[in-house]
Amino acid sequence: MTETPTATAAEIKIGFSGDEARKAACALELQGGEGRSRSIYFWDSPRKAGDDISLPFLDRGVIFRLRLEDGDQGSKRDTSMTVKLRPCPRLPPDWRKNRKDEDGDWDFTIEEDRTGPAFTPVVSASLQAERKVEAKLVESALRPEPGELGPLLAKPHRHLLEDAAGLKQGDLQDLRPLGPVYTVKWKQDWGTLPDPVVIEEWIAKDLRFLEVSVRTSMADAAEAGKLLEQALRRRNVAPPRCGESKTRAVLTVLARDLAH
């Protein structure tokens, strides 16, 4: 039996793209050398849909994301592989609460994503696994040919995909890598917010995206959205009039050359 999970925490997000992202970065006085630099890759099977790009896995709420540390060129690569379900589907009993591996190799969390200016809550579930993977397997997975993602997925990823999304190994054969996305991440203490503010800049081809976010309890989520907007205005950053998912924006740009 499955049921809709209940989130125990929320991530409040405000995103800026293009010229708005550039202006926000200048106003916040972000310095690249002070942030953490990584490269990100996604997987989907892009298709052309008229003048638009169809992303079948993203459209059904399944996101595959790999983070690699810049400068890591060893025979084994430190990888951070995440499978995210957003919006989160109904889940079987084993996946209805946050879980963590005893050895700390992976963790599963359920939380609300709230993107400004509307801050409409969307429940998401994500399983992130940190492990070393042979460099040749990482390189193979990043080739343009489909069907090479498997070695980067940990067993819990496969169990989650099958249990919650009905996806087996054979359903992933058409996945193709989309990337890289060059990212820099900062954490700052803004005083008026109880938790550190996370600022992340994504650059992919001709797209620049800047996201400001903070994690908070469900009880404080609505107030955190207001405080985050106020804190941005005090820093001469006007919140955008409409919200946009950075994942969809970036995947659409990256998929243009691969869609068929």
Side-chain angles (χ1 to χ4, degrees):
M1 182 178 179
T2 60
E3 66 179 47
T4 303
T6 300
T8 57
E11 184 176 14
I12 313 302
K13 307 175 181 179
I14 296 178
F16 307 85
S17 63
D19 195 48
E20 284 188 340
R22 182 188 60 79
K23 291 178 180 178
C26 290
L28 296 174
E29 299 180 348
L30 301 177
Q31 301 294 325
E34 298 174 357
R36 181 181 183 183
S37 299
R38 292 184 289 186
S39 296
I40 297 180
Y41 293 83
F42 294 90
W43 277 261
D44 211 304
S45 52
R47 302 284 189 274
K48 285 185 179 178
D51 294 332
D52 297 325
I53 301 295
S54 170
L55 295 159
F57 284 85
L58 181 62
D59 290 341
R60 69 181 289 178
V62 181
I63 300 168
F64 301 89
R65 183 186 68 212
L66 171 70
R67 285 195 173 108
L68 296 173
E69 298 291 337
D70 286 357
D72 179 7
Q73 301 296 328
S75 61
K76 287 192 174 183
R77 303 288 302 274
D78 289 318
T79 66
S80 176
M81 186 73 202
T82 298
V83 170
K84 177 171 280 195
L85 306 177
R86 183 177 63 201
C88 184
R90 293 178 178 271
L91 298 176
D94 288 347
W95 297 103
R96 289 180 194 160
K97 61 181 180 180
N98 294 351
R99 299 169 57 185
K100 183 172 289 190
D101 177 43
E102 292 181 356
D103 296 327
D105 294 333
W106 61 269
D107 63 274
F108 174 74
T109 57
I110 300 170
E111 64 180 15
E112 279 190 358
D113 287 341
R114 299 192 180 196
T115 301
F119 296 114
T120 302
V122 178
V123 177
S124 69
S126 62
L127 194 152
Q128 179 174 312
E130 309 275 351
R131 62 195 185 114
K132 286 186 174 293
V133 177
E134 294 286 346
K136 61 182 180 181
L137 295 178
V138 176
E139 292 168 3
S140 178
L142 298 181
R143 291 172 184 162
E145 295 82 6
E148 301 294 333
L149 175 61
L152 299 188
L153 296 174
K155 285 184 179 179
H157 286 137
R158 298 190 184 97
H159 292 159
L160 174 65
L161 287 166
E162 184 169 353
D163 295 346
L167 291 171
K168 298 183 179 181
Q169 183 66 29
D171 299 316
L172 310 181
Q173 294 306 305
D174 290 336
L175 285 168
R176 302 179 69 183
L178 302 172
V181 182
Y182 300 104
T183 75
V184 184
K185 185 175 184 179
W186 299 265
K187 287 187 177 182
Q188 298 182 354
D189 182 3
W190 284 10
T192 55
L193 289 150
D195 294 298
V197 173
V198 175
I199 306 170
E200 193 164 13
E201 182 180 58
W202 287 18
I203 296 177
K205 294 188 175 180
D206 57 350
L207 176 69
R208 183 176 186 177
F209 201 100
L210 190 78
E211 182 182 83
V212 182
S213 66
V214 64
R215 278 188 162 83
T216 185
S217 67
M218 294 295 295
D220 296 332
E223 181 65 16
K226 297 176 183 177
L227 291 175
L228 187 58
E229 286 188 324
Q230 292 170 2
L232 283 169
R233 290 193 177 96
R234 282 196 294 272
R235 289 164 174 78
N236 297 316
V237 179
R241 295 181 180 179
C242 60
E244 183 178 17
S245 162
K246 70 177 185 294
T247 300
R248 181 169 290 277
V250 168
L251 262 65
T252 300
V253 167
L254 293 173
R256 287 175 186 163
D257 297 334
L258 295 179
H260 59 275

